[in-house]
Amino acid sequence: ELIYLKSLNNPIPENVSPGTEVGIINVQDRDSDSNRQVRCSIQQNVPFKLVPSIKNYYSLVTTGQLDRELVSDYNITISATDEGSPPLSSSKTVQLSVADINDNPPVFEDQSYSAYVSENNKPGSTLCSVTARDPDWRQNGTVIYSLLPGEVNGAPVSSYLSVNGDTGVIHAVRSFDYEQFRSFKVQVMARDNGSPPLSSNVTVSVFISDVNDNSPQILYPAPEGNSFMTELVPKAAHGGSLVSKVIAVDADSGQNAWLSYHIVKSTDPGLFTIGLHSGEIRTQRDISESDSMKQNLLVSVKDNGQPSLSATCSMYLLISDNLAEVPELKDISYDDKNSKLTSYLIIALVSVSTFFLTFIIIILGVRFCRRRKPRLLFDGAVAIPSAYLPPNYADVDGTGTLRSTYNYDAYLTTGSRTSDFKFVHITVTCVNVAAFPF
Ligand SMILES: *[C@@H]1O[C@H](CO)[C@@H](O)[C@H](O)[C@H]1NC(C)=O
Ligand SMILES: *[C@@H]1O[C@H](CO)[C@@H](O)[C@H](O)[C@H]1NC(C)=O
Ligand SMILES: *[C@@H]1O[C@H](CO)[C@@H](O)[C@H](O)[C@H]1NC(C)=O
């Protein structure tokens, strides 16, 4: 027998439907008539069969789905046997290839990826890598990675991460700050180069870990140079009394924010203690007469990081029952700024006192003038709540100032004729004075 391959679709695309004809075979037998009956067959274990068509012709058709990714080529052996005796047979092997179709999307090796990075990382540092496989052929199986657009804290993800399109290695674009955010998620797409391309997406979670990069921040007492913050300690305070408390916070977390308090310097080392973790300042024993009135403590606040960071503050304590008996407050603080502030305060105080004294003198003078010409002064009177009056000025009704009051009176009476404003002003004060028992 002679087996002829009349036609063959080779390669066959893997997506052909079952029953598709892939080739035509012709068998010829040159023996006598009786032996002309020829039977033709192929092996069993292939998704193909021979279908007889017109005389001595057979179609090779598929019997199932082909999958290039499982079997990419077949050696099909066609056997032809006649019905003579003894039967004669011959065979021919046909090699069939299966052509690729882009039927597999890239598949990530892991369902999701996590990257762990310490804050303050270098921009450009590698965080992790993702891998996706695509079993298709050549460009249908070539994977390209990319970051899907999205936002992290209002900024595009591309300002945080980048992914190498060929290798899937993910890099940090910037330095991360744990105090700003502790984790974020991005989507990475793996796309093949087929046409049309297939893709899959995966979530990459980035977890930022804390580094001890924040020193403790002392909230109380306020930082030095800002005030004369002092604490009053009653003279009768017993040992163990709570006197004050240092309050501090740390922006880090965990051990990096676990604070401990120590007194590093004090006027009298045996007098006060500080709670190691509470920051509470207590007397260690009863206050005695011999104790210095002014007590300064230098407190250090440390976190428990590796290495640890610290901050210090000064606490000014006054052993006294009454702030009024405290001498020269400014001695306690040695700050230049503070002494400047003190002089401003003194200037302000002196100006206010002067003003007030002038005010009193005017009142006394006006009272004098009211007695002389009461009618004129009550004309056009404006009522002002008596609450505006200084509370203690009724006391200042000394007869010793009579002489100067009289002088003022003389000035005012001349002045009030030329200036309306002064006149009204004086009238107002007079009315209010009138409400007071003189
Ligand atoms: C088919 O035959 C060729 C040549 O004989 C051989 O190289 C190939 O491995 C065979 N393929 C299969 C699937 O058996
Ligand atoms: C990829 O798949 C497409 C159909 O999806 C096909 O036409 C093309 O030939 C394939 N490319 C290769 C290199 O196999
Ligand atoms: C991946 O995400 C992109 C953008 O959201 C989308 O266009 C694409 O269809 C997604 N792919 C899969 C497999 O979900």
Side-chain angles (χ1 to χ4, degrees):
E1 281 88 3
L2 291 171
I3 300 172
Y4 297 103
L5 201 56
K6 286 292 181 189
S7 76
L8 187 66
N9 286 343
N10 194 21
I12 334 151
E14 58 179 323
N15 64 343
V16 295
S17 45
T20 303
E21 181 185 80
V22 296
I24 297 167
I25 287 144
N26 173 235
V27 187
Q28 289 181 5
D29 191 308
R30 283 170 294 175
D31 286 348
S32 62
D33 277 0
S34 61
N35 295 329
R36 272 267 202 63
Q37 291 297 323
V38 178
R39 293 176 60 224
C40 213
S41 68
I42 59 166
Q43 77 267 39
Q44 293 292 304
N45 56 347
V46 290
F48 299 95
K49 67 178 181 189
L50 283 179
V51 177
S53 80
I54 53 171
K55 197 166 181 268
N56 293 336
Y57 281 83
Y58 295 87
S59 288
L60 181 63
V61 299
T62 58
T63 57
Q65 286 291 349
L66 304 181
D67 186 355
R68 191 204 65 89
E69 285 77 49
L70 285 178
V71 185
S72 61
D73 60 326
Y74 295 93
N75 288 333
I76 297 166
T77 307
I78 303 158
S79 314
T81 312
D82 64 20
E83 288 185 337
S85 71
L88 297 172
S89 69
S90 67
S91 69
K92 189 181 176 77
T93 296
V94 174
Q95 204 175 349
L96 258 182
S97 301
V98 181
D100 186 47
I101 291 293
N102 192 20
D103 56 355
N104 291 282
V107 173
F108 283 98
E109 286 185 341
D110 293 345
Q111 298 246 307
S112 65
Y113 292 83
S114 298
Y116 299 88
V117 59
S118 291
E119 62 173 328
N120 307 331
N121 56 295
K122 280 203 192 95
S125 55
T126 300
L127 299 182
C128 66
S129 71
V130 295
T131 311
R133 306 240 176 251
D134 187 326
D136 288 326
W137 182 245
R138 299 267 165 90
Q139 64 259 44
N140 289 340
T142 304
V143 179
I144 301 152
Y145 303 93
S146 61
L147 216 51
L148 284 179
E151 285 199 347
V152 176
N153 266 26
V157 286
S158 55
S159 68
Y160 291 89
L161 297 182
S162 70
V163 59
N164 183 311
D166 298 329
T167 62
V169 174
I170 293 173
H171 298 277
V173 167
R174 62 161 80 168
S175 184
F176 301 136
D177 182 3
Y178 177 83
E179 284 71 44
Q180 222 183 336
F181 48 81
R182 301 175 173 198
S183 68
F184 60 92
K185 284 181 181 177
V186 299
Q187 297 275 313
V188 173
M189 179 166 79
R191 180 177 60 82
D192 62 31
N193 217 3
S195 149
L198 296 174
S199 70
S200 3
N201 299 334
V202 78
T203 302
V204 178
S205 308
V206 179
F207 298 98
I208 299 155
S209 58
D210 189 38
V211 163
N212 194 19
D213 57 351
N214 288 283
S215 322
Q217 230 192 323
I218 295 168
L219 303 180
Y220 186 88
E224 262 186 270
N226 252 356
S227 64
F228 311 103
M229 216 176 275
T230 45
E231 296 285 345
L232 228 49
V233 182
K235 282 177 177 163
H238 290 295
S241 307
L242 182 62
V243 164
S244 186
K245 184 174 160 74
V246 175
I247 300 166
V249 291
D250 193 305
D252 293 319
S253 70
Q255 294 283 323
N256 294 339
W258 200 42
L259 302 180
S260 58
Y261 300 80
H262 307 271
I263 293 175
V264 290
K265 220 164 110 186
S266 58
T267 311
D268 180 351
L271 190 49
F272 298 102
T273 57
I274 193 161
L276 184 60
H277 295 299
S278 65
E280 287 179 354
I281 296 173
R282 290 176 185 276
T283 51
Q284 212 164 358
R285 55 167 171 78
D286 295 358
I287 303 284
S288 75
E289 280 300 322
S290 59
D291 286 327
S292 164
M293 191 179 200
K294 289 177 279 180
Q295 298 279 342
N296 296 353
L297 302 178
L298 187 63
V299 174
S300 136
V301 185
K302 268 196 253 179
D303 62 32
N304 206 26
Q306 283 296 336
S308 85
L309 296 173
S310 67
T312 56
C313 64
S314 295
M315 186 135 235
Y316 306 117
L317 302 164
L318 275 169
I319 300 175
S320 169
D321 292 331
N322 180 3
L323 249 186
E325 71 176 52
V326 175
E328 346 83 56
L329 255 181
K330 73 170 208 202
D331 270 12
I332 290 176
S333 135
Y334 1 83
D335 214 301
D336 250 15
K337 267 191 222 154
N338 275 359
S339 58
K340 219 174 190 176
L341 193 71
T342 315
S343 47
Y344 287 144
L345 279 176
I346 289 166
I347 291 166
L349 204 70
V350 167
S351 335
V352 168
S353 312
T354 313
F355 187 79
F356 182 64
L357 211 67
T358 315
F359 184 67
I360 295 304
I361 289 165
I362 290 169
I363 285 164
L364 289 175
V366 165
R367 188 185 146 209
F368 217 78
C369 88
R370 188 195 62 172
R371 277 186 192 161
R372 279 185 185 175
K373 337 174 211 172
R375 247 176 228 170
L376 174 71
L377 285 166
F378 273 98
D379 280 348
V382 180
I384 289 180
S386 57
Y388 284 111
L389 291 171
N392 54 344
Y393 90 120
D395 298 342
V396 197
D397 192 16
T399 44
T401 55
L402 192 64
R403 202 185 157 85
S404 58
T405 307
Y406 184 78
N407 289 345
Y408 244 93
D409 185 35
Y411 162 72
L412 284 171
T413 41
T414 50
S416 61
R417 280 182 195 139
T418 52
S419 158
D420 279 354
F421 173 73
K422 256 179 197 161
F423 179 74
V424 170
H425 177 74
I426 291 160
T427 312
V428 170
T429 20
C430 278
V431 169
N432 284 293
V433 168
F436 258 76
F438 273 95

